[in-house]
Each structure stands twice: as C-alpha cells, then as structure tokens.
Amino acid sequence: MTHSNKVLREAYGFTIGWSVLTITTLLLISCPEFVESTLRGEFEPALMVRGIQRQLATLQALLGKSRESTAPGQSSTHNLFGEVGNLGPGAIAIGNAEGTLRPNGTPTWAYYGHSDPANQVTNKGFASWQATRVKTAKEGDRQALRRINTQCIPYTVKSFQAQGLDLTPRLLVESCDIWIQAPRAAVDFAWNYKQCQLDGKTGERALLCARINNYIDPATGRFDVASIFKKPGALAADQQRRMTAIAQTLKRFQISPTI
C-alpha cells in the first residue's frame, strides 16, 4: 500500500511539473511581457490578457488568409474590379478585351459609345454595356459592375467550388469577361473547364477550350454564336484575343495571370 501511494505521489508530481512547464512555455510564447513583469515581482494580469488577445488576432488573420485562398472575399473582389470612377485591374482587363480601355486603364474612343458589330446596338462603358439603355459610359460601368458583383462573382465562386476547382483571380476575371460578353455562355464555364482538364488539356489550352465550349448549346450540341463568329476559327481567335488582353493587363497591374 505504501509503495502504491509512492507511485501515485510520483505520478501526481510528474503531472503537476509537466503542467507547470507547459503553462510556462505557453506564457513565454504568447505573453512574454507578463512573464518578464512577474519575474521582476510585478504581477500584471492585464499583460497576460493582452498577449492572449494578440495571439487570437494572429490566428484569426491566418484563418482569414486561408479562406481567401479558397474563395475570394468581398474585399479582395472589390479591389480586383473596383468601382465606377475607379476601376480595378479586373474591370480594366475586360475593357482591354473589349477595346474600350487601354491596358493602363485610360479610355479609348469606343468607351464613350460605339456600335456593336454583331447587332449594331450602341455600346457604352468599359464592358460595352448594351443590356439596358444607358445615357453615359459611367452608367454603363455601373450596370456592368452590378452584373459582375451580383451575378458573376457569387455564381462563379459556387460553381468552381462545386467542381472542386481552385478559383484564381485570372479565372474569376475570365469568367466575368464571359459573363459580360454572353451571360448564357458563362453558366457552364466551371463545368466546361473541368471537362477540358479531364480531356488532358492544361493551362491556357484548357481555358481556351472551356471558353469555346461555353458557346455550345446543350440542347442541340451546336455552337450558338453571332454571325461574325460562325466562320471557321473565328470564335477561337476571338476568345484567344480576349484571353491575351486579360493576361497582359493583369500582369501590368502585378496580379498573377497564372490560371
């Protein structure tokens, strides 16, 4: 019985010692100011609370970065596309693909109004807006950004997650470019991109494949495009041109054009 008590006391002592060592180590890591003040004989609990709060803030920041890496947040997408009067790199990239903005964001003559070669409707703004009647290019920008923020971004995020695909800034801009050009063609972008990857295509080839396949009508299996893109190779050439304009603009603004 005496031997058992001795073993229990030793085990208890080991547990206490290990606990003290663990707590001391955690305090040294998270609350060095509290430990230093205690060693000086100045017991200040406020320093311990402050240290713990600092560690929690650091952990929250790390978790925030992790979330941003899997799905773009509201802040990051706002910076990517900007706002009326202060367009972001993503909007400028789309404008460059449309021919309404130069790669540095300055407007071309087409920004203020031009006739669409496919249907002769007047386009205005960076995204060549024509879905609703607008009086100025700035109104066109406002409508285009509304479509990007309320339709393209949430739908693209969900569809890429559903396909198990990583959504990079480049792919988000590409999706919104398609959404601006032809919303009906954009809804299958994530699915088409995954299928093109499964067919063995990677990088730019997979993106071009998906952009082209977006224009296939699932009901008929045929391409549903404007007459100017019905010539052999015309659609592929136009999609490649837009991809190049987007990649060059993002690179100019130091946003990785990697897919």
PDB file of all heavy atoms in Angstrom, residues 131-164:
ATOM      1  N   ALA A 131     -27.134  45.821 -72.471  1.00  0.00           N
ATOM      2  CA  ALA A 131     -28.275  45.032 -71.986  1.00  0.00           C
ATOM      3  C   ALA A 131     -29.443  45.911 -71.583  1.00  0.00           C
ATOM      4  O   ALA A 131     -30.603  45.502 -71.689  1.00  0.00           O
ATOM      5  CB  ALA A 131     -27.841  44.157 -70.806  1.00  0.00           C
ATOM      6  N   THR A 132     -29.161  47.111 -71.090  1.00  0.00           N
ATOM      7  CA  THR A 132     -30.199  48.096 -70.784  1.00  0.00           C
ATOM      8  C   THR A 132     -29.760  49.426 -71.363  1.00  0.00           C
ATOM      9  O   THR A 132     -28.566  49.657 -71.569  1.00  0.00           O
ATOM     10  CB  THR A 132     -30.410  48.245 -69.259  1.00  0.00           C
ATOM     11  OG1 THR A 132     -29.160  48.612 -68.653  1.00  0.00           O
ATOM     12  CG2 THR A 132     -30.912  46.950 -68.641  1.00  0.00           C
ATOM     13  N   ARG A 133     -30.700  50.309 -71.601  1.00  0.00           N
ATOM     14  CA  ARG A 133     -30.365  51.603 -72.190  1.00  0.00           C
ATOM     15  C   ARG A 133     -29.691  52.491 -71.139  1.00  0.00           C
ATOM     16  O   ARG A 133     -30.208  52.668 -70.031  1.00  0.00           O
ATOM     17  CB  ARG A 133     -31.617  52.284 -72.734  1.00  0.00           C
ATOM     18  CG  ARG A 133     -31.348  53.590 -73.460  1.00  0.00           C
ATOM     19  CD  ARG A 133     -32.600  54.115 -74.116  1.00  0.00           C
ATOM     20  NE  ARG A 133     -33.089  53.192 -75.139  1.00  0.00           N
ATOM     21  CZ  ARG A 133     -34.181  53.411 -75.858  1.00  0.00           C
ATOM     22  NH1 ARG A 133     -34.910  54.505 -75.632  1.00  0.00           N
ATOM     23  NH2 ARG A 133     -34.561  52.540 -76.783  1.00  0.00           N
ATOM     24  N   VAL A 134     -28.542  53.034 -71.477  1.00  0.00           N
ATOM     25  CA  VAL A 134     -27.832  53.950 -70.578  1.00  0.00           C
ATOM     26  C   VAL A 134     -27.472  55.208 -71.369  1.00  0.00           C
ATOM     27  O   VAL A 134     -27.230  55.157 -72.572  1.00  0.00           O
ATOM     28  CB  VAL A 134     -26.559  53.304 -69.995  1.00  0.00           C
ATOM     29  CG1 VAL A 134     -26.911  52.151 -69.067  1.00  0.00           C
ATOM     30  CG2 VAL A 134     -25.623  52.820 -71.101  1.00  0.00           C
ATOM     31  N   LYS A 135     -27.422  56.338 -70.656  1.00  0.00           N
ATOM     32  CA  LYS A 135     -27.139  57.607 -71.319  1.00  0.00           C
ATOM     33  C   LYS A 135     -25.646  57.898 -71.414  1.00  0.00           C
ATOM     34  O   LYS A 135     -25.195  58.565 -72.350  1.00  0.00           O
ATOM     35  CB  LYS A 135     -27.837  58.749 -70.578  1.00  0.00           C
ATOM     36  CG  LYS A 135     -29.360  58.678 -70.635  1.00  0.00           C
ATOM     37  CD  LYS A 135     -29.986  59.854 -69.897  1.00  0.00           C
ATOM     38  CE  LYS A 135     -31.498  59.813 -69.980  1.00  0.00           C
ATOM     39  NZ  LYS A 135     -32.132  60.962 -69.262  1.00  0.00           N
ATOM     40  N   THR A 136     -24.884  57.426 -70.443  1.00  0.00           N
ATOM     41  CA  THR A 136     -23.455  57.737 -70.417  1.00  0.00           C
ATOM     42  C   THR A 136     -22.640  56.473 -70.214  1.00  0.00           C
ATOM     43  O   THR A 136     -23.145  55.425 -69.787  1.00  0.00           O
ATOM     44  CB  THR A 136     -23.122  58.714 -69.273  1.00  0.00           C
ATOM     45  OG1 THR A 136     -23.345  58.056 -68.021  1.00  0.00           O
ATOM     46  CG2 THR A 136     -23.977  59.964 -69.363  1.00  0.00           C
ATOM     47  N   ALA A 137     -21.334  56.603 -70.476  1.00  0.00           N
ATOM     48  CA  ALA A 137     -20.425  55.481 -70.266  1.00  0.00           C
ATOM     49  C   ALA A 137     -20.349  55.103 -68.786  1.00  0.00           C
ATOM     50  O   ALA A 137     -20.252  53.924 -68.441  1.00  0.00           O
ATOM     51  CB  ALA A 137     -19.034  55.840 -70.794  1.00  0.00           C
ATOM     52  N   LYS A 138     -20.402  56.095 -67.905  1.00  0.00           N
ATOM     53  CA  LYS A 138     -20.348  55.823 -66.468  1.00  0.00           C
ATOM     54  C   LYS A 138     -21.568  55.009 -66.030  1.00  0.00           C
ATOM     55  O   LYS A 138     -21.462  54.128 -65.171  1.00  0.00           O
ATOM     56  CB  LYS A 138     -20.287  57.144 -65.675  1.00  0.00           C
ATOM     57  CG  LYS A 138     -18.950  57.861 -65.792  1.00  0.00           C
ATOM     58  CD  LYS A 138     -17.842  57.115 -65.083  1.00  0.00           C
ATOM     59  CE  LYS A 138     -16.489  57.794 -65.227  1.00  0.00           C
ATOM     60  NZ  LYS A 138     -16.444  59.112 -64.560  1.00  0.00           N
ATOM     61  N   GLU A 139     -22.721  55.290 -66.614  1.00  0.00           N
ATOM     62  CA  GLU A 139     -23.904  54.492 -66.301  1.00  0.00           C
ATOM     63  C   GLU A 139     -23.712  53.055 -66.780  1.00  0.00           C
ATOM     64  O   GLU A 139     -24.127  52.104 -66.121  1.00  0.00           O
ATOM     65  CB  GLU A 139     -25.143  55.101 -66.951  1.00  0.00           C
ATOM     66  CG  GLU A 139     -25.637  56.379 -66.286  1.00  0.00           C
ATOM     67  CD  GLU A 139     -26.920  56.886 -66.925  1.00  0.00           C
ATOM     68  OE1 GLU A 139     -27.683  56.045 -67.459  1.00  0.00           O
ATOM     69  OE2 GLU A 139     -27.168  58.096 -66.895  1.00  0.00           O
ATOM     70  N   GLY A 140     -23.070  52.909 -67.936  1.00  0.00           N
ATOM     71  CA  GLY A 140     -22.752  51.577 -68.450  1.00  0.00           C
ATOM     72  C   GLY A 140     -21.817  50.838 -67.503  1.00  0.00           C
ATOM     73  O   GLY A 140     -21.984  49.642 -67.250  1.00  0.00           O
ATOM     74  N   ASP A 141     -20.818  51.560 -66.966  1.00  0.00           N
ATOM     75  CA  ASP A 141     -19.896  50.959 -65.994  1.00  0.00           C
ATOM     76  C   ASP A 141     -20.651  50.483 -64.759  1.00  0.00           C
ATOM     77  O   ASP A 141     -20.387  49.402 -64.220  1.00  0.00           O
ATOM     78  CB  ASP A 141     -18.831  51.978 -65.572  1.00  0.00           C
ATOM     79  CG  ASP A 141     -17.839  52.279 -66.679  1.00  0.00           C
ATOM     80  OD1 ASP A 141     -17.871  51.586 -67.717  1.00  0.00           O
ATOM     81  OD2 ASP A 141     -17.032  53.209 -66.497  1.00  0.00           O
ATOM     82  N   ARG A 142     -21.593  51.299 -64.301  1.00  0.00           N
ATOM     83  CA  ARG A 142     -22.347  50.957 -63.100  1.00  0.00           C
ATOM     84  C   ARG A 142     -23.170  49.675 -63.316  1.00  0.00           C
ATOM     85  O   ARG A 142     -23.204  48.799 -62.438  1.00  0.00           O
ATOM     86  CB  ARG A 142     -23.259  52.120 -62.715  1.00  0.00           C
ATOM     87  CG  ARG A 142     -24.024  51.907 -61.407  1.00  0.00           C
ATOM     88  CD  ARG A 142     -24.769  53.155 -60.964  1.00  0.00           C
ATOM     89  NE  ARG A 142     -23.839  54.228 -60.566  1.00  0.00           N
ATOM     90  CZ  ARG A 142     -23.560  55.295 -61.294  1.00  0.00           C
ATOM     91  NH1 ARG A 142     -24.145  55.457 -62.486  1.00  0.00           N
ATOM     92  NH2 ARG A 142     -22.708  56.207 -60.864  1.00  0.00           N
ATOM     93  N   GLN A 143     -23.792  49.567 -64.456  1.00  0.00           N
ATOM     94  CA  GLN A 143     -24.587  48.379 -64.757  1.00  0.00           C
ATOM     95  C   GLN A 143     -23.696  47.145 -64.892  1.00  0.00           C
ATOM     96  O   GLN A 143     -24.042  46.050 -64.410  1.00  0.00           O
ATOM     97  CB  GLN A 143     -25.383  48.588 -66.046  1.00  0.00           C
ATOM     98  CG  GLN A 143     -26.448  49.669 -65.967  1.00  0.00           C
ATOM     99  CD  GLN A 143     -27.530  49.339 -64.957  1.00  0.00           C
ATOM    100  OE1 GLN A 143     -27.883  48.179 -64.743  1.00  0.00           O
ATOM    101  NE2 GLN A 143     -28.070  50.364 -64.314  1.00  0.00           N
ATOM    102  N   ALA A 144     -22.551  47.305 -65.525  1.00  0.00           N
ATOM    103  CA  ALA A 144     -21.639  46.177 -65.718  1.00  0.00           C
ATOM    104  C   ALA A 144     -21.074  45.692 -64.386  1.00  0.00           C
ATOM    105  O   ALA A 144     -21.006  44.484 -64.129  1.00  0.00           O
ATOM    106  CB  ALA A 144     -20.501  46.575 -66.660  1.00  0.00           C
ATOM    107  N   LEU A 145     -20.685  46.621 -63.520  1.00  0.00           N
ATOM    108  CA  LEU A 145     -20.158  46.242 -62.213  1.00  0.00           C
ATOM    109  C   LEU A 145     -21.232  45.585 -61.356  1.00  0.00           C
ATOM    110  O   LEU A 145     -20.940  44.687 -60.563  1.00  0.00           O
ATOM    111  CB  LEU A 145     -19.575  47.467 -61.503  1.00  0.00           C
ATOM    112  CG  LEU A 145     -18.252  47.985 -62.073  1.00  0.00           C
ATOM    113  CD1 LEU A 145     -17.887  49.321 -61.438  1.00  0.00           C
ATOM    114  CD2 LEU A 145     -17.130  46.972 -61.871  1.00  0.00           C
ATOM    115  N   ARG A 146     -22.474  46.038 -61.513  1.00  0.00           N
ATOM    116  CA  ARG A 146     -23.569  45.403 -60.774  1.00  0.00           C
ATOM    117  C   ARG A 146     -23.723  43.951 -61.218  1.00  0.00           C
ATOM    118  O   ARG A 146     -23.909  43.055 -60.388  1.00  0.00           O
ATOM    119  CB  ARG A 146     -24.870  46.167 -60.981  1.00  0.00           C
ATOM    120  CG  ARG A 146     -26.048  45.554 -60.199  1.00  0.00           C
ATOM    121  CD  ARG A 146     -27.332  46.322 -60.372  1.00  0.00           C
ATOM    122  NE  ARG A 146     -27.272  47.629 -59.726  1.00  0.00           N
ATOM    123  CZ  ARG A 146     -27.325  48.798 -60.352  1.00  0.00           C
ATOM    124  NH1 ARG A 146     -27.457  48.806 -61.682  1.00  0.00           N
ATOM    125  NH2 ARG A 146     -27.262  49.925 -59.693  1.00  0.00           N
ATOM    126  N   ARG A 147     -23.646  43.715 -62.514  1.00  0.00           N
ATOM    127  CA  ARG A 147     -23.744  42.337 -63.002  1.00  0.00           C
ATOM    128  C   ARG A 147     -22.577  41.496 -62.487  1.00  0.00           C
ATOM    129  O   ARG A 147     -22.762  40.345 -62.089  1.00  0.00           O
ATOM    130  CB  ARG A 147     -23.773  42.303 -64.535  1.00  0.00           C
ATOM    131  CG  ARG A 147     -23.728  40.884 -65.104  1.00  0.00           C
ATOM    132  CD  ARG A 147     -23.828  40.864 -66.612  1.00  0.00           C
ATOM    133  NE  ARG A 147     -25.175  41.188 -67.072  1.00  0.00           N
ATOM    134  CZ  ARG A 147     -25.529  41.240 -68.349  1.00  0.00           C
ATOM    135  NH1 ARG A 147     -24.617  41.021 -69.290  1.00  0.00           N
ATOM    136  NH2 ARG A 147     -26.764  41.522 -68.682  1.00  0.00           N
ATOM    137  N   ILE A 148     -21.395  42.061 -62.483  1.00  0.00           N
ATOM    138  CA  ILE A 148     -20.212  41.341 -62.004  1.00  0.00           C
ATOM    139  C   ILE A 148     -20.357  40.983 -60.534  1.00  0.00           C
ATOM    140  O   ILE A 148     -20.111  39.843 -60.121  1.00  0.00           O
ATOM    141  CB  ILE A 148     -18.935  42.178 -62.234  1.00  0.00           C
ATOM    142  CG1 ILE A 148     -18.587  42.197 -63.734  1.00  0.00           C
ATOM    143  CG2 ILE A 148     -17.758  41.641 -61.423  1.00  0.00           C
ATOM    144  CD1 ILE A 148     -17.463  43.142 -64.095  1.00  0.00           C
ATOM    145  N   ASN A 149     -20.784  41.968 -59.719  1.00  0.00           N
ATOM    146  CA  ASN A 149     -20.836  41.766 -58.266  1.00  0.00           C
ATOM    147  C   ASN A 149     -22.008  40.915 -57.810  1.00  0.00           C
ATOM    148  O   ASN A 149     -21.883  40.160 -56.831  1.00  0.00           O
ATOM    149  CB  ASN A 149     -20.873  43.117 -57.552  1.00  0.00           C
ATOM    150  CG  ASN A 149     -19.551  43.854 -57.641  1.00  0.00           C
ATOM    151  OD1 ASN A 149     -18.484  43.264 -57.490  1.00  0.00           O
ATOM    152  ND2 ASN A 149     -19.602  45.153 -57.900  1.00  0.00           N
ATOM    153  N   THR A 150     -23.137  41.025 -58.480  1.00  0.00           N
ATOM    154  CA  THR A 150     -24.325  40.312 -58.016  1.00  0.00           C
ATOM    155  C   THR A 150     -24.574  38.998 -58.758  1.00  0.00           C
ATOM    156  O   THR A 150     -25.284  38.135 -58.238  1.00  0.00           O
ATOM    157  CB  THR A 150     -25.580  41.196 -58.160  1.00  0.00           C
ATOM    158  OG1 THR A 150     -25.810  41.489 -59.562  1.00  0.00           O
ATOM    159  CG2 THR A 150     -25.420  42.499 -57.393  1.00  0.00           C
ATOM    160  N   GLN A 151     -23.995  38.850 -59.942  1.00  0.00           N
ATOM    161  CA  GLN A 151     -24.231  37.635 -60.711  1.00  0.00           C
ATOM    162  C   GLN A 151     -22.949  36.830 -60.923  1.00  0.00           C
ATOM    163  O   GLN A 151     -22.839  35.681 -60.490  1.00  0.00           O
ATOM    164  CB  GLN A 151     -24.869  37.976 -62.062  1.00  0.00           C
ATOM    165  CG  GLN A 151     -26.225  38.648 -61.951  1.00  0.00           C
ATOM    166  CD  GLN A 151     -26.809  39.016 -63.311  1.00  0.00           C
ATOM    167  OE1 GLN A 151     -26.541  38.383 -64.320  1.00  0.00           O
ATOM    168  NE2 GLN A 151     -27.607  40.063 -63.341  1.00  0.00           N
ATOM    169  N   CYS A 152     -21.980  37.440 -61.576  1.00  0.00           N
ATOM    170  CA  CYS A 152     -20.774  36.696 -61.944  1.00  0.00           C
ATOM    171  C   CYS A 152     -20.020  36.146 -60.739  1.00  0.00           C
ATOM    172  O   CYS A 152     -19.728  34.955 -60.677  1.00  0.00           O
ATOM    173  CB  CYS A 152     -19.848  37.577 -62.782  1.00  0.00           C
ATOM    174  SG  CYS A 152     -18.222  36.797 -63.059  1.00  0.00           S
ATOM    175  N   ILE A 153     -19.662  37.014 -59.795  1.00  0.00           N
ATOM    176  CA  ILE A 153     -18.802  36.582 -58.692  1.00  0.00           C
ATOM    177  C   ILE A 153     -19.443  35.483 -57.848  1.00  0.00           C
ATOM    178  O   ILE A 153     -18.839  34.415 -57.653  1.00  0.00           O
ATOM    179  CB  ILE A 153     -18.385  37.780 -57.822  1.00  0.00           C
ATOM    180  CG1 ILE A 153     -17.462  38.708 -58.631  1.00  0.00           C
ATOM    181  CG2 ILE A 153     -17.682  37.311 -56.552  1.00  0.00           C
ATOM    182  CD1 ILE A 153     -17.088  39.996 -57.911  1.00  0.00           C
ATOM    183  N   PRO A 154     -20.663  35.686 -57.315  1.00  0.00           N
ATOM    184  CA  PRO A 154     -21.238  34.615 -56.484  1.00  0.00           C
ATOM    185  C   PRO A 154     -21.460  33.316 -57.239  1.00  0.00           C
ATOM    186  O   PRO A 154     -21.211  32.229 -56.707  1.00  0.00           O
ATOM    187  CB  PRO A 154     -22.553  35.215 -55.979  1.00  0.00           C
ATOM    188  CG  PRO A 154     -22.849  36.371 -56.877  1.00  0.00           C
ATOM    189  CD  PRO A 154     -21.534  36.882 -57.347  1.00  0.00           C
ATOM    190  N   TYR A 155     -21.890  33.405 -58.508  1.00  0.00           N
ATOM    191  CA  TYR A 155     -22.140  32.188 -59.275  1.00  0.00           C
ATOM    192  C   TYR A 155     -20.825  31.472 -59.584  1.00  0.00           C
ATOM    193  O   TYR A 155     -20.736  30.246 -59.482  1.00  0.00           O
ATOM    194  CB  TYR A 155     -22.869  32.511 -60.583  1.00  0.00           C
ATOM    195  CG  TYR A 155     -23.268  31.276 -61.352  1.00  0.00           C
ATOM    196  CD1 TYR A 155     -24.501  30.666 -61.110  1.00  0.00           C
ATOM    197  CD2 TYR A 155     -22.415  30.703 -62.296  1.00  0.00           C
ATOM    198  CE1 TYR A 155     -24.869  29.520 -61.799  1.00  0.00           C
ATOM    199  CE2 TYR A 155     -22.769  29.553 -62.980  1.00  0.00           C
ATOM    200  CZ  TYR A 155     -23.996  28.966 -62.738  1.00  0.00           C
ATOM    201  OH  TYR A 155     -24.352  27.820 -63.410  1.00  0.00           O
ATOM    202  N   THR A 156     -19.804  32.236 -59.966  1.00  0.00           N
ATOM    203  CA  THR A 156     -18.519  31.625 -60.309  1.00  0.00           C
ATOM    204  C   THR A 156     -17.897  30.945 -59.098  1.00  0.00           C
ATOM    205  O   THR A 156     -17.373  29.829 -59.201  1.00  0.00           O
ATOM    206  CB  THR A 156     -17.549  32.687 -60.861  1.00  0.00           C
ATOM    207  OG1 THR A 156     -18.136  33.312 -62.014  1.00  0.00           O
ATOM    208  CG2 THR A 156     -16.230  32.055 -61.265  1.00  0.00           C
ATOM    209  N   VAL A 157     -17.941  31.610 -57.943  1.00  0.00           N
ATOM    210  CA  VAL A 157     -17.379  31.021 -56.715  1.00  0.00           C
ATOM    211  C   VAL A 157     -18.057  29.690 -56.413  1.00  0.00           C
ATOM    212  O   VAL A 157     -17.397  28.672 -56.158  1.00  0.00           O
ATOM    213  CB  VAL A 157     -17.530  31.995 -55.527  1.00  0.00           C
ATOM    214  CG1 VAL A 157     -17.188  31.286 -54.212  1.00  0.00           C
ATOM    215  CG2 VAL A 157     -16.625  33.199 -55.708  1.00  0.00           C
ATOM    216  N   LYS A 158     -19.386  29.662 -56.445  1.00  0.00           N
ATOM    217  CA  LYS A 158     -20.129  28.443 -56.112  1.00  0.00           C
ATOM    218  C   LYS A 158     -19.893  27.342 -57.144  1.00  0.00           C
ATOM    219  O   LYS A 158     -19.722  26.170 -56.784  1.00  0.00           O
ATOM    220  CB  LYS A 158     -21.627  28.752 -56.021  1.00  0.00           C
ATOM    221  CG  LYS A 158     -22.007  29.586 -54.807  1.00  0.00           C
ATOM    222  CD  LYS A 158     -23.496  29.859 -54.765  1.00  0.00           C
ATOM    223  CE  LYS A 158     -23.871  30.711 -53.559  1.00  0.00           C
ATOM    224  NZ  LYS A 158     -25.325  31.025 -53.526  1.00  0.00           N
ATOM    225  N   SER A 159     -19.866  27.703 -58.417  1.00  0.00           N
ATOM    226  CA  SER A 159     -19.710  26.678 -59.458  1.00  0.00           C
ATOM    227  C   SER A 159     -18.306  26.085 -59.456  1.00  0.00           C
ATOM    228  O   SER A 159     -18.132  24.879 -59.677  1.00  0.00           O
ATOM    229  CB  SER A 159     -20.041  27.264 -60.841  1.00  0.00           C
ATOM    230  OG  SER A 159     -19.185  28.342 -61.164  1.00  0.00           O
ATOM    231  N   PHE A 160     -17.290  26.899 -59.173  1.00  0.00           N
ATOM    232  CA  PHE A 160     -15.932  26.367 -59.101  1.00  0.00           C
ATOM    233  C   PHE A 160     -15.770  25.475 -57.877  1.00  0.00           C
ATOM    234  O   PHE A 160     -15.097  24.440 -57.930  1.00  0.00           O
ATOM    235  CB  PHE A 160     -14.906  27.499 -59.093  1.00  0.00           C
ATOM    236  CG  PHE A 160     -14.390  27.844 -60.464  1.00  0.00           C
ATOM    237  CD1 PHE A 160     -15.216  28.451 -61.395  1.00  0.00           C
ATOM    238  CD2 PHE A 160     -13.086  27.561 -60.829  1.00  0.00           C
ATOM    239  CE1 PHE A 160     -14.762  28.761 -62.662  1.00  0.00           C
ATOM    240  CE2 PHE A 160     -12.614  27.859 -62.094  1.00  0.00           C
ATOM    241  CZ  PHE A 160     -13.452  28.462 -63.022  1.00  0.00           C
ATOM    242  N   GLN A 161     -16.387  25.846 -56.762  1.00  0.00           N
ATOM    243  CA  GLN A 161     -16.350  25.000 -55.569  1.00  0.00           C
ATOM    244  C   GLN A 161     -17.050  23.677 -55.841  1.00  0.00           C
ATOM    245  O   GLN A 161     -16.580  22.617 -55.411  1.00  0.00           O
ATOM    246  CB  GLN A 161     -17.004  25.718 -54.395  1.00  0.00           C
ATOM    247  CG  GLN A 161     -16.179  26.877 -53.835  1.00  0.00           C
ATOM    248  CD  GLN A 161     -16.899  27.634 -52.730  1.00  0.00           C
ATOM    249  OE1 GLN A 161     -18.123  27.557 -52.608  1.00  0.00           O
ATOM    250  NE2 GLN A 161     -16.152  28.373 -51.928  1.00  0.00           N
ATOM    251  N   ALA A 162     -18.171  23.720 -56.561  1.00  0.00           N
ATOM    252  CA  ALA A 162     -18.921  22.502 -56.868  1.00  0.00           C
ATOM    253  C   ALA A 162     -18.111  21.541 -57.727  1.00  0.00           C
ATOM    254  O   ALA A 162     -18.248  20.320 -57.612  1.00  0.00           O
ATOM    255  CB  ALA A 162     -20.235  22.865 -57.575  1.00  0.00           C
ATOM    256  N   GLN A 163     -17.256  22.086 -58.586  1.00  0.00           N
ATOM    257  CA  GLN A 163     -16.417  21.255 -59.452  1.00  0.00           C
ATOM    258  C   GLN A 163     -15.085  20.888 -58.797  1.00  0.00           C
ATOM    259  O   GLN A 163     -14.269  20.179 -59.400  1.00  0.00           O
ATOM    260  CB  GLN A 163     -16.159  21.979 -60.783  1.00  0.00           C
ATOM    261  CG  GLN A 163     -17.389  22.211 -61.638  1.00  0.00           C
ATOM    262  CD  GLN A 163     -18.063  20.920 -62.060  1.00  0.00           C
ATOM    263  OE1 GLN A 163     -17.411  19.906 -62.298  1.00  0.00           O
ATOM    264  NE2 GLN A 163     -19.388  20.956 -62.158  1.00  0.00           N
ATOM    265  N   GLY A 164     -14.857  21.393 -57.587  1.00  0.00           N
ATOM    266  CA  GLY A 164     -13.600  21.104 -56.897  1.00  0.00           C
ATOM    267  C   GLY A 164     -12.408  21.797 -57.529  1.00  0.00           C
ATOM    268  O   GLY A 164     -11.285  21.266 -57.493  1.00  0.00           O
TER     269      GLY A 164
END
